[in-house]
């Protein structure tokens, strides 16, 4: 497909404009890369959006490999060298027919190779280039190195020798990290008990049991993690924090480490930061059409403070960057300070906090003013100085974006007051507070009707939502038996107008602000969740889990 054609497709879908196309063409002349790859590198489109556009143009179906586990049966059928050379990835076998993913819709070689091996023409899907490379490497690596088999072998050797040697501890530690990456976990918990070590993985916001390890390996595994994180291995009576980078399949994973002493030894929690994630657009996050329009209009404002509120792991940064893509980065100078940089966005000046050098959120925000910013993104408001700087910066004609930990949109206001923010300045500067949670979506492959209980009926009637049935996932191979696949935002947007400003400044109870916001059209968090239950996107159980 000609380079110009890709540009036309993306323009016709309103994914890029003429100016962005021209800048990409300028960069392409210098780098000699494909135009599609250049547009992705510049952050004008995501790899997924490029793949979907090409699929639509070619009349093919698109598959998101991130939501679609590869079948071992399919991988065993095609040697890795053959798949790599022909440029396709085996996905699954359905009714005796191999399904493959390609990044080029006109890849005839892939079809020919798959046909010659299976004696049957394959079903061809489009996949995006980033997911293709990552899942091809991961799929074949874990096919050749099964986690369970490797774990049992190491544990067998330890039991036989009655000791945990250095090589065994190293192999076991690496296996714990690799299994976290394989499962797309956000956190790994190593929890000691009286006579066993439990390993849990947090996946889609929920802890899942991973492994049971002999008690004898605990000291060695913890020491290895401490050495990697540059922590004091001799100190086991006090909590410690550190980090390290784990290199796996040509990709670096930043891992944040926290240790806490318990009665059975040190408990270790590791957060996996996988580097650059897929850039999403607002409409893909799960916000309804009205809320998407509201967020878009908010991020076009010339000055003020917009906060994304929610607990850790609720997708605040993802929403912030999806909304940031709505800002014209060619006309506005956007500068950020984050901890850490989770998404890389071209034409945005991104920096990362470094507490060892004293470069924190407050220090960065103070110095950003000399960088001629239009928009400032401060990763998190977590102390008094950062809160005050954010508010004062917005009053001097800048748009300030940040996140804050609070249960819902309205309770972010007392949180700011607790951080000693001046009430008048806060009421004057706040544009909006977007509160959100991430709820697991029902797996489409095992979705079944779920009869409503009396209490569920009452809850829906109380909210004036008419529905006769809900859905839930019963569990299948596609969702690893969980009944869930992927996550969706449930959220509420508190837009601050003159009436609400007066209420904030007047020191009225939070319930009065909440009532006024609902009267003006704000859809509360739980009601937004109930609407998604009614639409069959999430289950009632999941809504109760994340929103109460």
């Amino acid at each position: 497909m000609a380079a110009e054609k890709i540009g036309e497709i993306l323009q016709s879908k309103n994914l890029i404009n003429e100016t962005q196309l021209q800048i990409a063409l300028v960069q392409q002349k210098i780098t000699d890369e494909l135009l599609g790859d250049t547009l992705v590198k510049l952050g004008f489109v995501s790899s997924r959006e490029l793949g979907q556009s090409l699929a639509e143009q070619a009349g093919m179906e698109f598959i998101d490999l991130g939501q679609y586990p590869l079948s071992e049966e399919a991988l065993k059928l095609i040697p890795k060298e053959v798949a790599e050379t022909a440029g396709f990835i085996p996905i699954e076998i359905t009714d005796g027919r191999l399904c493959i993913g390609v990044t080029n819709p006109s890849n005839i070689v892939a079809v020919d190779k798959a046909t010659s091996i299976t004696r049957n023409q394959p079903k061809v899907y489009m996949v995006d280039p980033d997911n293709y490379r990552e899942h091809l490497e991961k799929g074949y690596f874990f096919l050749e190195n099964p986690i369970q088999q490797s774990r049992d072998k190491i544990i067998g050797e330890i039991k036989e020798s009655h000791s945990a040697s250095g090589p065994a501890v190293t192999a076991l530690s690496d296996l714990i990290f690799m299994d976290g990456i394989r499962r797309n976990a956000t956190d790994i918990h190593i929890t000691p008990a009286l006579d066993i070590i439990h390993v849990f993985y947090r996946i889609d916001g929920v802890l899942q049991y991973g492994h049971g390890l002999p008690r004898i390996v605990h000291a060695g595994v913890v020491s290895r993690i401490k050495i990697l994180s540059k922590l004091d291995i001799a100190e086991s009576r006090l909590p410690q924090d550190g980090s390290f980078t784990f290199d796996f399949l040509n990709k670096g994973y930043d891992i944040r480490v926290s240790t806490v002493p318990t009665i059975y030894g040190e408990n270790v929690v590791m957060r996996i930061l996988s580097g650059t994630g897929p850039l999403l657009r607002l409409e893909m996050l799960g916000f309804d059409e009205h809320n998407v329009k509201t967020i878009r209009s908010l991020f076009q404002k010339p000055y003020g403070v917009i906060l994304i509120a929610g607990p850790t792991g609720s997708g605040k940064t993802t929403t912030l960057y999806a909304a940031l893509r709505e800002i014209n980065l060619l006309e506005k100078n956007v500068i950020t300070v984050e901890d850490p940089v989770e998404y890389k966005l071209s034409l945005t000046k991104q920096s990362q906090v470094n507490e060892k050098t004293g470069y924190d959120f407050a220090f960065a925000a103070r110095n950003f003013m000399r960088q001629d910013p239009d928009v400032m993104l401060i990763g998190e408001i977590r102390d008094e100085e950062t809160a005050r700087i954010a508010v004062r910066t917005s009053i001097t004609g800048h748009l300030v974006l940040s996140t804050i930990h609070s249960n819902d949109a309205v309770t972010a206001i007392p949180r700011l007051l607790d951080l000693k923010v001046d009430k008048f300045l806060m009421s004057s500067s706040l544009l909006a507070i977007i509160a959100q949670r991430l709820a697991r979506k029902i797996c489409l492959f095992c979705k079944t009707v779920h009869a409503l209980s009396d209490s569920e009926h009452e809850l829906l009637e109380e909210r004036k939502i008419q529905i006769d049935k809900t859905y839930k996932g019963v569990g299948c191979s596609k969702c690893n038996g969980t009944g869930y696949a992927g996550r969706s935002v449930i959220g509420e947007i508190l837009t601050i107008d003159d009436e609400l400003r007066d209420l904030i400044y007047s020191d009225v109870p939070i319930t009065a602000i909440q009532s006024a916001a609902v009267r003006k059209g704000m859809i509360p968090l739980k009601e937004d969740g109930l609407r998604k239950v009614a639409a069959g996107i999430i289950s009632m159980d999941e809504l109760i889990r994340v929103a109460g």
Side-chain angles (χ1 to χ4, degrees), residues 472-518:
K472 68 187 302 182
V474 295
C476 64
S477 60
K478 294 283 195 307
C479 61
N480 292 319
T482 63
Y484 299 99
R487 290 192 282 180
S488 172
V489 160
I490 58 172
E492 63 183 12
I493 302 175
L494 175 65
T495 306
I496 312 296
D497 61 8
D498 289 341
E499 182 187 340
L500 290 174
R501 283 192 181 88
D502 289 341
L503 289 173
I504 292 168
Y505 185 62
S506 303
D507 204 18
V508 299
I510 288 302
T511 50
I513 298 173
Q514 175 82 8
S515 298
V518 171

Side-chain angles (χ1 to χ4, degrees), residues 186-187 251-252 254 256 271-280 311-322 324 336-346 350-353 361 377-380 382 403 405 436 438 487:
T186 54
D187 301 87
K251 186 174 180 180
D254 290 331
R256 296 283 178 91
R271 167 147 287 194
I272 303 173
L273 302 165
S274 57
T276 304
L279 282 169
L280 300 174
T312 302
S314 58
K316 298 187 296 293
T317 305
T318 302
T319 298
L320 208 51
Y321 266 89
L324 200 58
T336 82
V337 57
E338 303 163 71
D339 182 25
V341 172
E342 292 182 45
Y343 297 90
K344 292 184 176 69
L345 190 58
S346 192
Q350 296 173 278
S351 65
Q352 192 161 297
V353 298
F361 288 125
L377 188 155
I378 301 169
E380 184 186 340
R382 57 170 72 149
T403 67
H405 286 224
Q436 65 177 63
L438 286 179
R487 290 192 282 180

Side-chain angles (χ1 to χ4, degrees), residues 236-276:
S236 60
R237 298 163 300 172
L238 294 172
Q240 294 189 67
D241 293 306
S243 64
F244 66 94
T245 301
F246 181 66
D247 293 316
F248 179 60
L249 299 177
N250 303 315
K251 186 174 180 180
Y253 294 83
D254 290 331
I255 298 181
R256 296 283 178 91
V257 178
S258 171
T259 69
V260 171
T262 73
I263 57 172
Y264 296 118
E266 288 181 279
N267 190 82
V268 181
V269 174
M270 294 175 283
R271 167 147 287 194
I272 303 173
L273 302 165
S274 57
T276 304

Side-chain angles (χ1 to χ4, degrees), residues 90-295:
I91 297 172
E92 65 176 358
I93 298 171
T94 307
D95 300 326
R97 190 178 174 196
L98 178 66
C99 301
I100 64 171
V102 297
T103 57
N104 180 353
S106 55
N107 187 346
I108 300 167
V109 176
V111 177
D112 289 345
K113 275 288 179 191
T115 303
S116 66
I117 292 171
T118 63
R119 306 294 179 195
N120 195 0
Q121 191 159 353
K123 182 165 178 53
V124 185
Y125 296 93
M126 273 291 294
V127 296
D128 71 86
D130 286 356
N131 264 328
Y132 163 76
R133 284 184 283 270
E134 185 177 337
H135 284 77
L136 186 75
E137 292 294 332
K138 273 191 193 176
Y140 281 104
F141 178 86
F142 289 114
L143 180 69
E144 294 161 13
N145 306 277
I147 290 288
Q148 193 169 342
Q149 190 176 313
S150 302
R151 180 202 63 196
D152 293 346
K153 184 183 176 186
I154 297 166
I155 290 174
E157 290 170 359
I158 290 168
K159 281 184 173 180
E160 195 175 318
S161 64
H162 301 288
S163 67
S165 65
V169 164
T170 299
L172 199 55
S173 304
D174 287 351
L175 184 142
I176 291 169
F177 306 150
M178 290 188 294
D179 200 25
I181 293 166
R182 180 183 72 89
R183 295 168 181 252
N184 294 320
T186 54
D187 301 87
I188 304 172
H189 292 236
I190 298 176
T191 304
L194 181 63
D195 48 16
I196 191 174
I197 307 300
H198 299 292
V199 179
F200 292 88
Y201 295 97
R202 187 173 294 281
I203 301 162
D204 285 341
V206 178
L207 282 179
Q208 294 183 17
Y209 194 78
H211 309 282
L213 307 175
R215 187 74 174 80
I216 196 173
V217 307
H218 182 252
V221 169
V222 172
S223 293
R224 169 122 201 279
I225 293 168
K226 283 185 168 183
I227 290 166
L228 288 171
S229 311
K230 297 181 173 58
L231 300 179
D232 184 356
I233 61 169
E235 180 56 79
S236 60
R237 298 163 300 172
L238 294 172
Q240 294 189 67
D241 293 306
S243 64
F244 66 94
T245 301
F246 181 66
D247 293 316
F248 179 60
L249 299 177
N250 303 315
K251 186 174 180 180
Y253 294 83
D254 290 331
I255 298 181
R256 296 283 178 91
V257 178
S258 171
T259 69
V260 171
T262 73
I263 57 172
Y264 296 118
E266 288 181 279
N267 190 82
V268 181
V269 174
M270 294 175 283
R271 167 147 287 194
I272 303 173
L273 302 165
S274 57
T276 304
L279 282 169
L280 300 174
R281 293 192 185 268
L282 283 171
E283 55 269 28
M284 293 174 64
L285 300 180
F287 289 108
D288 63 31
E289 193 176 336
H290 172 72
N291 281 345
V292 168
K293 285 179 180 175
T294 301
I295 296 171

